[in-house]
Structures are given as structure tokens and as C-alpha cells.
Amino acid sequence: YGQFCECDDSSCDRSLSGLLCGGHGLCNCGRCECDAGWTGPACDCRDDVSQCLSPDGKICSGHGECVCGHCRRCDDGYSGQFCSECETCPDKCESLKACVECLAFSSGDLMETFDGRKHGHADFCWENCELQFKYREKLSSRIPVNMVNCTVKNASYCQYTFSYKLEDWTKNGPEKVFLHLDEDGEKGICPTVVKIDYLGMIIGLVFMIVAVGMLTILLWKVFTTITDRREFAQFEQEREKMKFNSNSNPIFKQATTTIMNPIYSKGDF
């Protein structure tokens, strides 16, 4: 039917079960007019997003579209049942670290170009931070337990912790970030800086050299004393073994010498 006989109420899309318009609509001139609560070309998809709600209560985690009760067309990098998985996305704690460190400690990568004569500290951090959130500092005991905790170190190796709520995370970041304070109001645990006592090191080094020298001399003296005593004892033993006549001196030599002339003859004179 139709002005040019172009309409056919039996040529509409069918569902996988073979029903015209999925059994949930009417075929009107080749197109399905779905009943309330149904959608899709063949009226075979429920118009209900409850199956697309991620655990945080968002449709497809805010990174996709709900099509026929399933998350489809996830944003680049995201996948999974609720478009919540992202293997190529940076860690959320690392994404927040630079901003939090800038606000809390006035240090980090964002502060490299900071000029106190031109910029205000907080304004400079917000201008250079890629994420947008509300920053608060609270005692750890007052921060909700259902938040994700991030424990990192700043440029001075101070360890600090901040928290955010994963359910509130959007493309611009979380809604709020809380920096943990201890009972004394300190923002983090910093290593104790020990000043090197160079004078003490020099005095100690000199003392050590003198002590080593004196010990060396003492050991040499002990060694030589023991050696001398051994040699003297050996001499005494050898002297006691030698026996001489009381009237003779083994090393005595006569003062006169008699020389005989072999060609001398008394008869020639």
C-alpha cells in the first residue's frame, strides 16, 4: 500500500527468534513501531539501563553507551562488561600525585616553573593540574573508610597518604580528594635529616691512625722482646755445654813465634 505501493507491513526486521518486530511492536510501512519499554530496529531490546549500571551506579561507568541492555561503544582504551577496564590508562594514584603534592607540599613536577612573584601557590597548582577536584586536609580518623587510599612519597621522600572515591571519578577526576593528617596535624612522615659532623669525623680518623700506629709499635716491641729472649736462652744453653780446663784459655795465643831456617848449618861458621 501507500502512494506508490511502497509499503509492506510484513517486511520489517525480525528478532533472532524470527518474530516480526520481536513480537513487541507493529510493522508500519517497513519500520517497527515498538511498544513501550522496547527499542531497537526489531523491537527486541528492552528500554532499560539497569543491566548497564556498573557497581558505582553509573551507566557503563561513564565510559560507554547502553545499547539493548549491554554496554557498547566504550571510550578509547576502556573495555569490559561495564566499560570499566582500562589497561592503558595511568594509575589513578599517580594521576593525582602531582596535583596533591603541589597543593600540600609546594613541591613536585608542577612546581618546576613556579615563580612566587608572578603566581599564587594554590592558583598555580590548579592552573597546571590536569584534573579538577575539591581538595581537603583531614585527620585520618575522620576520612570515610569507603575511599581508595594512595600512599606515595614526595620529592623530599616524605611519605603521605591521600584518598579519593572511585565511584565519583569522571573524566575530569574525582569529586573530592582528602589528604590524611596525623593526630599532630602533620601531613606526612619525613625521614630525619642527620647533619654530618665533619670535625668529629676528622678527630676520629686521626685517633684511629694514632691508635693503629701505637698498636703496631706495641706488637713490634713484643715480637722483638720475645725474639731476644729466645736467642739469649739459646746462647746460655750453648755456653753451658762448652767445658774448658781451668788452667787453659782456648782462645789464648803465644806472643812469640819461632821460625826455623832450613838451610842453616852450624858447621859452616
Side-chain angles (χ1 to χ4, degrees):
Y1 63 95
Q3 182 179 0
F4 302 103
C5 299
E6 73 278 9
C7 294
D8 182 4
D9 290 344
S10 61
S11 60
C12 293
D13 292 335
R14 297 176 180 271
S15 63
L16 294 177
S17 61
L19 295 177
L20 187 66
C21 293
H24 304 292
L26 297 176
C27 183
N28 184 8
C29 195
R31 297 187 64 180
C32 289
E33 295 180 355
C34 300
D35 297 338
W38 294 88
T39 185
C43 298
D44 54 352
C45 294
R46 287 189 175 274
D47 190 11
D48 181 14
V49 297
S50 61
Q51 299 298 320
C52 296
L53 294 178
S54 57
D56 58 5
K58 294 182 179 180
I59 298 176
C60 298
S61 304
H63 300 293
E65 299 179 11
C66 184
V67 179
C68 199
H70 299 281
C71 290
R72 299 286 188 269
R73 293 190 285 275
C74 297
D75 294 340
D76 292 341
Y78 289 88
S79 61
Q81 181 181 357
F82 300 109
C83 298
S84 58
E85 301 174 8
C86 183
E87 297 181 357
T88 59
C89 296
D91 181 70
K92 289 180 170 57
C93 289
E94 288 296 323
S95 299
L96 290 168
K97 177 184 175 182
C99 301
V100 175
E101 183 175 346
C102 181
L103 293 166
F105 300 96
S106 302
S107 62
D109 297 338
L110 298 185
M111 293 295 292
E112 291 182 356
T113 58
F114 176 75
D115 187 348
R117 297 170 298 179
K118 300 179 181 179
H119 311 105
H121 167 236
D123 293 337
F124 179 80
C125 293
W126 289 123
E127 289 174 2
N128 291 273
C129 182
E130 296 180 355
L131 303 176
Q132 299 298 321
F133 52 86
K134 295 179 181 178
Y135 173 76
R136 298 287 185 273
E137 297 179 359
K138 279 189 175 184
L139 293 175
S140 298
S141 58
R142 297 184 180 179
I143 296 178
V145 296
N146 61 338
M147 303 187 77
V148 179
N149 295 330
C150 300
T151 300
V152 293
K153 293 182 179 180
N154 64 8
S156 301
Y157 299 99
C158 296
Q159 181 174 290
Y160 62 99
T161 302
F162 59 88
S163 300
Y164 68 91
K165 203 169 184 179
L166 184 62
E167 293 79 2
D168 296 336
W169 192 284
T170 64
K171 294 180 179 180
N172 295 324
E175 180 182 355
K176 298 178 182 178
V177 172
F178 294 104
L179 180 72
H180 291 230
L181 302 178
D182 61 18
E183 297 302 325
D184 297 327
E186 297 293 334
K187 299 178 180 180
I189 302 175
C190 299
T192 303
V193 179
V194 180
K195 293 184 178 180
I196 301 176
D197 185 4
Y198 292 101
L199 179 60
M201 290 179 61
I202 294 175
I203 294 176
L205 182 61
V206 172
F207 176 78
M208 184 178 66
I209 294 174
V210 173
V212 171
M214 294 183 64
L215 180 61
T216 302
I217 294 173
L218 179 61
L219 292 175
W220 175 80
K221 182 63 176 176
V222 171
F223 174 75
T224 54
T225 300
I226 293 175
T227 303
D228 291 345
R229 288 183 177 181
R230 285 181 178 177
E231 292 179 352
F232 180 75
Q234 184 178 2
F235 170 75
E236 288 292 328
Q237 291 177 357
E238 292 178 354
R239 187 173 66 85
E240 290 178 357
K241 292 179 180 179
M242 298 177 65
K243 295 181 179 180
F244 303 105
N245 191 331
S246 59
N247 297 324
S248 64
N249 188 344
I251 62 175
F252 172 75
K253 291 184 179 182
Q254 291 290 337
T256 59
T257 304
T258 301
I259 300 174
M260 299 297 293
N261 186 347
I263 64 173
Y264 170 74
S265 174
K266 292 182 178 181
D268 294 338
F269 294 94

